Amino acid sequence: KLSKRLETVASFVPTGAVVADIGSDHAYLPCYLVHNGVVTKAIAGEVVKGPFDSALKQVKLEGLEDNITVRLADGLKAIEESDNVDTITIAGMGGPLIVSILEKNPHALKTVTRLILQPNIHAKVIRQWAIRNQWAVLEEVILKEDEKIYEVLVLQRGEMELTEQEILLGKHLIASKTDVFIEKWSKEIDNWKRILTSIERADDTTDIVKKREEVTHKIQLVEEVLNHEE
Ligand code: SAM
């Protein structure tokens, strides 16, 4: 059975899509998509030999060699032009690594109309990348599984404007303001407050002053959202 996290990613793959799952590890996601009749053709990309072998093994075990092509490649290099990939999933990595994968081979995105990204941390940099590259957030989900909190961002082509708060927290996630969202950001605030306390007595060097301002600003941004009554 697929994790709730990957099931959420899968739920945003359009029926009949040609999907490339980058950093696929065991290829659980593409296997699930084929088994559930969502797609008939998928690429599983892996840059590390161990996980690449696991993906091959899994695809073979499930008898899906005709549907899923496993490639050992760095990021979007796993995608070939003739694949006509229209949907890319990248899950289980930090936001900065996801962004670096997208930035390294941007031409591979030519045929792509949807990106489903699941950053474990720092979703903010994905929203910033999206704005810079004319992608817009279609949907965002925050979920908790095994005491960990994850975000899933669904992007399609288009312009978007986000406020500083929306870049940090997610426009859709602010709007729905679920318990998991509140939990995540309350914890972040606690962390930032601890940081402030720990640098309270530090000398007023430029760096320390800057850090204090930065952290105080983030606390304010997030508290504003959390304390806002509908
Ligand atoms: N996507 C799966 C999931 O969400 O459960 C696996 C996540 S696993 C934590 C991250 C995987 O991404 C690892 O198998 C790693 O080898 C792979 N990876 C990291 N950087 C990559 C890159 N540049 N290109 C392809 N795969 C990469």
Side-chain angles (χ1 to χ4, degrees):
K1 196 183 173 300
L2 206 61
S3 61
K4 178 173 159 191
R5 174 180 63 82
L6 285 180
E7 224 172 60
T8 307
V9 172
S11 74
F12 291 108
V13 175
T15 306
V18 179
V19 63
D21 182 40
I22 305 301
S24 197
D25 198 356
H26 287 79
Y28 289 143
L29 179 62
C31 287
Y32 172 93
L33 289 170
V34 176
H35 275 317
N36 286 274
V38 181
V39 311
T40 54
K41 188 181 159 187
I43 313 293
E46 250 300 332
V47 74
V48 178
K49 185 75 168 74
F52 165 74
D53 287 337
S54 309
L56 276 181
K57 202 173 141 192
Q58 191 65 30
V59 168
K60 207 167 164 201
L61 187 75
E62 303 202 24
L64 298 177
E65 297 102 316
D66 289 345
N67 305 99
I68 302 172
T69 308
V70 184
R71 294 197 184 119
L72 182 64
D74 181 10
L76 304 185
K77 283 206 186 103
I79 300 171
E80 292 170 8
E81 209 165 331
S82 57
D83 295 330
N84 284 311
V85 166
D86 52 40
T87 303
I88 293 178
T89 55
I90 312 179
M93 306 175 205
L97 180 55
I98 293 177
V99 165
S100 78
I101 288 174
L102 294 168
E103 281 182 335
K104 210 164 168 188
N105 294 85
H107 53 89
L109 297 175
K110 223 167 65 186
T111 54
V112 175
T113 52
R114 176 172 293 207
L115 298 170
I116 308 162
L117 309 173
Q118 186 270 299
N120 290 339
I121 50 165
H122 298 308
K124 174 183 167 176
V125 296
I126 293 182
R127 298 190 186 99
Q128 288 169 325
W129 173 86
I131 292 172
R132 286 199 305 277
N133 293 279
Q134 283 84 50
W135 288 85
V137 179
L138 176 67
E139 191 56 78
E140 282 169 309
V141 175
I142 190 163
L143 68 122
K144 189 174 173 182
E145 183 171 49
D146 300 333
E147 292 310 306
K148 289 200 194 88
I149 293 177
Y150 304 101
E151 287 175 47
V152 177
L153 280 70
V154 185
L155 307 183
Q156 62 179 7
R157 297 204 182 255
E159 301 282 331
M160 75 174 164
E161 275 177 40
L162 295 181
T163 64
E164 197 183 358
Q165 253 161 354
E166 290 167 344
I167 288 175
L168 183 63
L169 302 160
K171 189 175 183 155
H172 298 257
L173 299 178
I174 293 173
S176 51
K177 215 170 144 182
T178 61
D179 290 347
V180 177
F181 174 88
I182 293 168
E183 183 184 335
K184 176 192 162 92
W185 291 106
S186 305
K187 278 186 188 153
E188 291 286 357
I189 289 178
D190 291 346
N191 268 333
W192 292 329
K193 287 191 172 162
R194 263 195 294 276
I195 292 171
L196 276 189
T197 313
S198 75
I199 58 176
E200 216 162 47
R201 282 183 307 254
D203 290 338
D204 284 347
T205 61
T206 335
D207 279 355
I208 288 288
V209 172
K210 227 174 114 186
K211 184 81 188 162
R212 269 195 212 118
E213 279 171 7
E214 189 191 302
V215 175
T216 307
H217 178 63
K218 281 201 282 197
I219 293 173
Q220 270 168 4
L221 278 184
V222 177
E223 277 185 341
E224 220 175 272
V225 171
L226 294 189
N227 298 336
H228 181 80
E229 299 288 338
E230 284 307 308

